[in-house]
Amino acid sequence: MHPNIRRWLSMGLLLTITGLQGQGKGIAQAGSMAGPVLSQEMNRMLLEKNTPYLFRPATSEDLGYPGAEKGKVIYWDWQSYLDTAKKQLQAQNYKAAWKTSNTALQLNPDLADAYVLRGIASFHLKDTNAALADATKAIALNPRLDNAYTLRAAANLYEHQFDKALEASTYAMSLNPQNAKAMAIHGAASLMRGKTDDALLDANSAIQINPKLAGPYLVKAAAQLSTGDTTAAMANINRAIALEPGLPIAYTVRGYGNLNQNRLK
C-alpha cells in the first residue's frame, strides 16, 4: 500500500462528514435563547447590514438591551448561520464556512454544532490542530454530540494517531449506531493497524447503513488493494466516484489501483 494512503483516506473521509443533519443535537436552536444574551459588541453586529435576527419576549433581566422597553429583545438567529455553514461545507467553500461558523461563535460561544462546523472547515484548510481543538470544545459543551467525536476521529486518523482515531470513532458509534461516517473512519484506522478484516467489516456495515456515502467504498477499496484484490478495489473506487464525482481522493486511489493493475499485466 502506498505510504500516503492514510492521508488520502482521512482527507476523503472527512469530506464525507460535512452533511451533519440528523446526527447528534446541537446546544442552541433559533428561538430557544433566554435571558440577556447580547453584549454591546453583539448589539453593534446586529445593527450591521443584512444581519439576521429574531425577537423574543423581554424579561426583567433585559433592561438596557435593545427593544426591552417595548417588551421584546433582539436575539441572534443562530440556526441560520449553522445552516449556512453546512451548505458552504457541502459546496467545499471552506474559508466561507469557517468565517460563518466563527461569526456564530463570536456571538454565542456555547454552540457545540458551530465548533464542529468550524473544525471541519479548519481541517480542510490543513489546520488539524484547530480541528481537534474545536472537536474537544464541542464535546465539552455536548458530550453526546456524535459528530464531534467523528471529527476528532478523522483528525486523529490524518495525524496518524490511529489508536485515538479508533477510540473516538468507537465512542461516536456508541452514541449513534447508525453513524456510517464514524464507522468508515473506524475501518480506515483498523486498516492502518493492519486489521484488514475489521476494515472490510466496518466498510460493509457502513455501506449497508448508507449506500450513498462515498467514504466506506474508499475504505473497502483500500483494504482490497492491501490484499491484492485490485479488480474488486477498482469497482468500489468507481462506486465512490459515481457518488461524489468531485472527490479528489477517489481519483488518487484509482490511479494507484491502475498502477497495480499495470504491474500485474
Side-chain angles (χ1 to χ4, degrees):
M1 182 179 292
H2 193 284
N4 286 332
I5 193 72
R6 60 175 63 92
R7 287 189 178 272
W8 301 341
L9 278 172
S10 54
M11 181 63 81
L13 287 170
L14 189 57
L15 179 61
T16 69
I17 73 166
T18 57
L20 302 179
Q21 296 86 342
Q23 292 197 35
K25 297 181 179 179
I27 297 296
Q29 301 290 327
S32 66
M33 305 305 296
V37 296
L38 305 180
S39 66
Q40 290 301 313
E41 178 64 14
M42 292 179 188
N43 293 341
R44 182 189 65 77
M45 294 183 71
L46 282 169
L47 296 176
E48 291 180 355
K49 186 178 180 180
N50 296 327
T51 298
Y53 60 87
L54 297 174
F55 290 96
R56 62 172 171 77
T59 71
S60 60
E61 299 177 356
D62 292 323
L63 295 178
Y65 284 84
E69 69 281 0
K70 297 180 181 179
K72 59 184 179 180
V73 178
I74 289 176
Y75 73 97
W76 194 265
D77 181 5
W78 322 111
Q79 193 61 45
S80 69
Y81 272 77
L82 299 182
D83 291 342
T84 298
K86 290 174 185 178
K87 292 176 182 177
Q88 290 166 334
L89 284 173
Q90 290 165 343
Q92 300 182 34
N93 191 350
Y94 304 122
K95 290 184 178 179
W98 190 96
K99 184 177 180 180
T100 300
S101 52
N102 188 63
T103 297
L105 288 169
Q106 286 178 330
L107 295 165
N108 183 352
D110 294 328
L111 292 169
D113 283 338
Y115 283 104
V116 173
L117 294 168
R118 190 177 71 175
I120 293 173
S122 292
F123 184 96
H124 283 289
L125 295 172
K126 299 183 178 181
D127 191 347
T128 52
N129 288 333
L132 284 168
D134 278 344
T136 298
K137 183 64 176 178
I139 290 168
L141 289 167
N142 185 353
R144 300 196 61 79
L145 187 61
D146 61 294
N147 279 317
Y149 292 95
T150 305
L151 170 60
R152 173 183 278 179
N156 288 150
L157 180 65
Y158 187 83
E159 291 296 331
H160 305 182
Q161 299 170 347
F162 304 130
D163 290 338
K164 289 184 178 180
L166 287 169
E167 180 182 356
S169 57
T170 297
Y171 198 74
M173 290 186 290
S174 74
L175 292 172
N176 179 6
Q178 298 300 306
N179 188 332
K181 298 162 187 180
M183 197 172 294
I185 293 171
H186 189 276
S190 295
L191 181 62
M192 301 314 160
R193 282 296 183 217
K195 299 178 180 179
T196 306
D197 289 343
D198 289 348
L200 286 170
L201 180 62
D202 283 335
N204 286 328
S205 296
I207 290 168
Q208 185 175 8
I209 291 171
N210 186 354
K212 295 183 178 181
L213 191 64
Y217 292 101
L218 292 177
V219 174
K220 187 172 183 178
Q224 290 166 332
L225 284 173
S226 71
T227 62
D229 192 355
T230 305
T231 300
M234 293 297 287
N236 282 305
I237 293 169
N238 289 331
R239 290 189 185 99
I241 290 174
L243 289 167
E244 291 196 39
L247 194 60
I249 171 65
Y251 296 95
T252 304
V253 177
R254 186 165 70 176
Y256 180 70
N258 285 327
L259 181 62
N260 274 4
Q261 283 186 325
N262 291 334
R263 287 174 176 170
L264 295 174
K265 290 180 180 180

